[in-house]
Amino acid sequence: MDVVSGRTDGTSATGLLLRPDCHIAWTGHEADDVSGLRAALNKWFGAPLPDVLEPER
């Protein structure tokens, strides 16, 4: 997964999750919408492995 930062006019989105075909899989509208992003990541990539540590904020 790549993380890219940028800005665009005409949207209030604070984050996007793009599928490999460049369709939007998730749009965040709050700076701390971690639960929404986790749910989208679980939907598109599957549940995390149990021994994987959570990244620090």
Side-chain angles (χ1 to χ4, degrees):
M1 181 172 16
D2 295 324
V3 176
V4 179
S5 296
R7 291 180 182 249
T8 185
D9 294 331
T11 182
S12 63
T14 58
L16 298 172
L17 176 63
L18 300 176
R19 300 184 330 200
D21 61 1
C22 293
H23 286 262
I24 298 171
W26 171 83
T27 304
H29 291 281
E30 300 293 328
D32 60 350
D33 188 8
V34 176
S35 62
L37 178 57
R38 282 192 179 134
L41 289 170
N42 285 340
K43 177 180 178 180
W44 292 102
F45 296 103
L49 299 174
D51 61 341
V52 175
L53 299 175
E54 287 287 325
E56 291 184 25
R57 288 182 155 206

